[in-house]
Amino acid sequence: MSSTSQKHKDFVAEPMGEKTVMALAGIGEVLGKRLEEKGFDKAYVVLGQFLVLRKDEELFREWLKDTCGANTKQQGDCYSCLREWCDSFL
């Protein structure tokens, strides 16, 4: 398994509060702007979609690809980040 980024570690270390969507691992400025344009401006809004999809990795990855064009690595990083956050805080 690959090691997690500092961004991932920072995100899962605390409640997400009002963090922007770009605070999520795997989501940089370009993908963040695409998500914001579609109404996903905060990390908690993406978390809501993650939960609606029942934390299903395949469905979430597909949604992220379709919604903002995330590549396989970005999809995996974002999924892992949200999964670990949920395991810690839900």
Side-chain angles (χ1 to χ4, degrees), residues 54-71:
R54 301 178 150 304
K55 303 185 208 173
D56 182 277
E57 183 172 6
E58 185 178 340
L59 291 175
F60 182 74
R61 283 172 167 264
E62 186 177 318
W63 172 82
L64 206 53
K65 179 182 174 188
D66 293 345
T67 304
C68 67
N71 68 31

Side-chain angles (χ1 to χ4, degrees), residues 1-88:
M1 186 160 161
S2 62
S3 63
T4 56
S5 67
Q6 188 61 47
K7 189 174 182 181
H8 174 108
K9 291 173 186 169
D10 291 345
F11 188 85
V12 301
E14 61 188 14
M16 73 178 68
E18 294 290 321
K19 290 181 182 177
T20 69
V21 70
M22 289 178 251
L24 290 162
I27 306 298
E29 191 170 335
V30 173
L31 296 183
K33 293 286 183 207
R34 290 178 190 162
L35 285 164
E36 286 174 354
E37 288 168 5
K38 296 191 176 175
F40 296 91
D41 58 333
K42 300 287 185 183
Y44 67 78
V45 182
V46 176
L47 172 67
Q49 183 64 29
F50 178 75
L51 295 173
V52 165
L53 295 172
R54 301 178 150 304
K55 303 185 208 173
D56 182 277
E57 183 172 6
E58 185 178 340
L59 291 175
F60 182 74
R61 283 172 167 264
E62 186 177 318
W63 172 82
L64 206 53
K65 179 182 174 188
D66 293 345
T67 304
C68 67
N71 68 31
T72 302
K73 181 181 184 323
Q74 293 161 330
Q75 295 164 26
D77 288 350
C78 190
Y79 171 82
S80 296
C81 183
L82 286 172
R83 183 73 204 204
E84 188 174 328
W85 187 91
C86 286
D87 290 345
S88 296

